[in-house]
Amino acid sequence: MIAGALLPEVIQNDFDSVAAELLLEGILENITALAEDIENQSLIQEYLSYARSVITMRKPARWWNTRIAIVTVALICNLAMAIPVQAQNAEPPAWARFKDVWKDVTSYSATVAVFEREGTAVRSSILDYTFRKPSSTTVHFSAGPNAGVTVVWNGGNTVVAHRGTGIAALFGRTFSLHDPRVTTIRGSSIDQLSFAAILAHAQGTPGIVSQDAGPAILDISTEAVTLVPTSSLADTGLTREVVDISVPTGLPLRVLGYEGNTLVRQIDFSNVILQP
């Protein structure tokens, strides 16, 4: 960005070519360092080599060579500005492993603990969660405001909910998938709690993704994959999400959602049983 700000002034002013070359050398050194972070460096390295060869040419062509080098470096700066974006959007290794593990799973069951905050309201629930590809989910609320309720989704825009077991379970009621009576207080439906939904959400939400060492959860080491969305409005008001992925299994153990610095969502997965 500093190089980009200096170039217009360099082009507009007729100043000593030696000073121009010194400035260009500094710019090229900075851009070369940036270029090391890109896997496909061929084009930018070609521009760098050309600019350096022009700068090292002798008089009488020095004045024109300096001007040519300036134009070349301007092109390099445009490429360099894209470098951080490419680096930020690179897929973290833990996420790639999650995708690789998930593609071989047909169904799974898990205990899911959900904590959410919406304004002054706070709600916690524990669910017995079963998911089968491509889009079948059964959720039994074992603790929380809806304890005893079972909700079934088989794709589409509706769910069937019933309370109890045996004959009582036959008297189900159909709701919209996003009806507040069968969603969390922040509006998440039961289909959005699956591993499949976590993957789809991350891939479909524009933003910056990064990976760091995560916390130990139940004595299990994790890798923390963080998503900072481009717009919180496109991410249900969340400004940052963190998925703690188990190092041994490659699957999520915890999902955290923040509004600013406030934790407003925490989803914990335990007792995960996979069906290949």
Side-chain angles (χ1 to χ4, degrees), residues 14-185:
D14 184 16
F15 67 108
D16 183 72
S17 61
V18 175
E21 291 172 14
L22 291 174
L23 175 61
L24 290 172
E25 282 289 352
I27 294 171
L28 289 173
E29 288 178 5
N30 290 332
I31 296 174
T32 301
L34 285 172
E36 293 176 355
D37 293 331
I38 297 300
E39 293 182 3
N40 184 6
Q41 300 183 27
S42 58
L43 180 59
I44 195 167
Q45 292 295 350
E46 183 178 341
Y47 277 124
L48 286 169
S49 297
Y50 174 69
R52 289 191 181 281
S53 68
V54 171
I55 288 175
T56 56
M57 290 181 182
R58 301 296 183 184
K59 290 183 178 180
R62 179 184 294 275
W63 188 89
W64 286 108
N65 289 336
T66 300
R67 295 308 186 271
I68 294 171
I70 289 172
V71 174
T72 302
V73 173
L75 294 174
I76 297 172
C77 286
N78 287 333
L79 291 172
M81 289 176 66
I83 290 174
V85 175
Q86 293 182 25
Q88 290 163 349
N89 290 337
E91 183 174 69
W95 204 255
R97 186 176 176 221
F98 176 21
K99 290 168 60 178
D100 188 58
V101 171
W102 177 245
K103 67 180 174 58
D104 295 325
V105 175
T106 299
S107 65
Y108 73 94
S109 61
T111 300
V112 182
V114 180
F115 161 84
E116 286 192 331
R117 181 189 304 275
E118 178 65 23
T120 59
V122 174
R123 181 178 295 178
S124 297
S125 299
I126 297 178
L127 323 173
D128 296 324
Y129 195 94
T130 302
F131 179 88
R132 178 173 293 276
K133 290 179 178 178
S135 55
S136 296
T137 300
T138 299
V139 176
H140 177 72
F141 290 81
S142 58
N146 293 320
V149 172
T150 299
V151 182
V152 179
W153 176 66
N154 288 310
N157 298 319
T158 61
V159 298
V160 176
H162 63 80
R163 183 181 294 275
T165 59
I167 295 178
L170 299 176
F171 299 94
R173 183 176 177 183
T174 300
F175 296 90
S176 166
L177 179 61
H178 299 286
D179 190 300
R181 288 170 290 184
V182 290
T183 61
T184 68
I185 59 173

